[in-house]
Amino acid sequence: MNFDLTEDQALLKAAVERFVSDSYGGDLEARRAARITPAGFSTANWARLAESGILALPVSAANGGLGGGRVELAACMEALGRGLVAEPVLDAAIIPGKLLDGAGATAPLDPLMAGTTLVALAHAEREARYNLAHVGTTARAKGDKVVIDGIKSAVLAGGTADVLIVSARLSGGTRDRDGIGFFQVPANAPGVDRRSYRLADGSVAAEIALRGVEVAASAQLAEGLDTLTPAVATARLAAAAEMLGLMTLLFDNTLSFVKTRTQFGQSLGSFQVIQHRMTDAYVLVEQARSQVVRAALTPAEDFARAAAGAKAFVAEAALTVAHTAVQMHGGMGITDELVIGHALKRIRVLALTFGDATAALDDYRRAA
C-alpha cells in the first residue's frame, strides 16, 4: 500500500513547513517571545495561519472551509509539532472549528477561520475526570433567553478567547449523555468570571465561572453529546500527530547531540548502551507514525476508536522519547535553553488533552 502524500497534500504540508521556517526558523527566541505575550502566542503568526487557510482546515467546504481530510490534518499538525509552534491551532481552530462545523453554525465560523475571533471550548469540569458526559453546568429558560450557571476548568486557549462554546445541562443527571446543550457565549458577557493561568508549556488556559449568564435562546448551537464526539476524535488525531512531530524533533536533536558530545575521549554515540537507547527511541517514533497513519486512514465508522487508540499509544511513546532525550542531554535537557525541555512540556499538555492514556484506552475498549 502506498502511504505517500498526494501532490495536494504534500503542497499543503510544505506550506505549513514554510510558515514554521519563516516564523520560527528553529530559533527558540521567537518561541519565547510568543509565549511571554498575554495571549501566549504571536497574533501576527495567527493572522498568517488564517491567511494560509490552516485555520479553515477542519471546516467543510459547504461551510466555507478547506474541507481537509484526516490525512491533511495529520500532516499539518505533525509539521506544526516539529516546528514547536506556539499558536493554539489545536485549541482554537481544530476543536471549535470541528464542533461548529458539525453543528452547522456558520456565523461564528467565518471570524474563526479569518483569525479575527478566538473561539474556545469550555466543557471540562473539575469533577469530570475525563468523563465527557459529566456536565454540572446548567442552562434554564427565561423567556426568550437562557441563563447559564456553572464552572468550567482547564479551558484551553480560554485565557484570551473572544467567544466561548459552553456545554450546559438542559435536563437529566450530571452524568447523563442526553440533555447536554452547547451555547455560544461572549467571553465578556456579564456574569462571566475568567481566571487565566499558564499551563506547563506556557500556553494560556482559564478557569471560567458563569454566574447567571444570560444569552439569547438562539445562542444554542446544538444539543446532545454526539455533537462533541466527532470533535474529540479529530482533536485526538491532531494531538497524536503533533506529538509525532515533537518526537521527531526530539529524536533528531538528541541523535545529533550524542554524535558530537564527547565523554571519556569519545562521542556519547559510540557507547553501546546509548546506541540501544537511541534505537528504542527510533522504534517508538516509527510505531507512533504507524498509529497516526492508521487512525487517519481508518473508515469513518471506526475513526473515533482508532483515534483514541492512537492518542493513547503516541502519548506514552512521546513521553518515553522525551524522557530519553532529557537523560541524554543531562541537566540542561530540562531547561529553556534547549528545544528538549520545551518539547517535553508541550507533550505533557497534549497527552492530557481530552483525557490521559488511560481515559483514551477506556474509550477504545468501549468502542470495540
Side-chain angles (χ1 to χ4, degrees), residues 93-288:
I94 293 173
I95 295 173
K98 189 68 177 178
L99 180 59
L100 292 169
D101 186 56
T106 56
L109 273 174
D110 291 336
L112 182 154
M113 293 185 291
T116 56
T117 297
L118 201 69
V119 183
L121 171 65
H123 178 71
E125 298 180 3
R126 288 185 180 181
E127 301 84 1
R129 298 301 300 169
Y130 305 131
N131 184 344
L132 293 176
H134 181 112
V135 176
T137 300
T138 60
R140 57 183 175 84
K142 181 183 177 182
D144 61 349
K145 296 184 179 297
V146 175
V147 182
I148 302 174
D149 289 280
I151 298 177
K152 297 296 183 178
S153 297
V155 180
L156 302 178
T160 53
D162 303 300
V163 174
L164 303 170
I165 302 174
V166 179
S167 59
R169 185 157 295 284
L170 298 165
S171 62
T174 302
R175 294 206 166 192
D176 290 348
R177 291 185 62 86
D178 297 327
I180 300 172
F182 293 88
F183 298 84
Q184 181 181 346
V185 179
N188 61 354
V192 176
D193 183 17
R194 176 165 52 181
R195 182 179 66 84
S196 302
Y197 56 89
R198 300 275 176 171
L199 297 177
D201 64 343
S203 58
V204 182
E207 187 95 353
I208 296 177
L210 301 104
R211 300 184 176 92
V213 177
E214 293 188 3
V215 295
S218 59
Q220 182 174 340
L221 302 169
E223 181 176 345
L225 197 60
D226 289 343
T227 304
L228 180 61
T229 303
V232 171
T234 301
R236 282 173 166 168
L237 173 63
E242 186 176 346
M243 285 188 283
L244 172 60
L246 290 162
M247 291 172 72
T248 307
L249 175 69
L250 286 165
F251 179 82
D252 290 346
N253 274 266
T254 305
L255 182 61
S256 176
F257 178 76
V258 299
K259 284 181 176 180
T260 56
R261 172 69 171 173
T262 58
Q263 192 72 34
F264 305 114
Q266 51 188 317
S267 69
L268 284 177
S270 65
F271 293 98
Q272 192 174 55
V273 67
I274 301 296
Q275 294 171 5
H276 288 171
R277 293 290 298 277
M278 293 304 298
T279 299
D280 291 342
Y282 176 77
V283 169
L284 285 175
V285 172
E286 293 306 306
Q287 287 178 325

Side-chain angles (χ1 to χ4, degrees), residues 130 239 243 311 315-316 319 346-357:
Y130 305 131
M243 285 188 283
K311 182 175 180 292
E316 293 290 338
L319 286 171
R346 179 59 183 161
I347 287 171
R348 286 208 166 275
V349 171
L350 289 169
L352 296 176
T353 301
F354 283 122
D356 57 11

Side-chain angles (χ1 to χ4, degrees), residues 294-361:
R294 175 179 176 272
L297 296 176
T298 296
E301 60 271 19
D302 295 324
F303 171 56
R305 181 171 185 258
K311 182 175 180 292
F313 179 88
V314 175
E316 293 290 338
L319 286 171
T320 300
V321 171
H323 292 157
T324 297
V326 169
Q327 291 170 352
M328 295 296 178
H329 284 80
M332 65 180 179
I334 198 64
T335 69
D336 281 349
E337 299 303 313
L338 302 178
V339 298
I340 307 302
H342 290 263
L344 169 60
K345 293 169 186 175
R346 179 59 183 161
I347 287 171
R348 286 208 166 275
V349 171
L350 289 169
L352 296 176
T353 301
F354 283 122
D356 57 11
T358 300
L361 283 175

Side-chain angles (χ1 to χ4, degrees), residues 67-80:
R70 300 195 297 267
V71 173
E72 289 83 359
L73 176 68
C76 290
M77 291 306 296
E78 181 185 351
L80 292 172

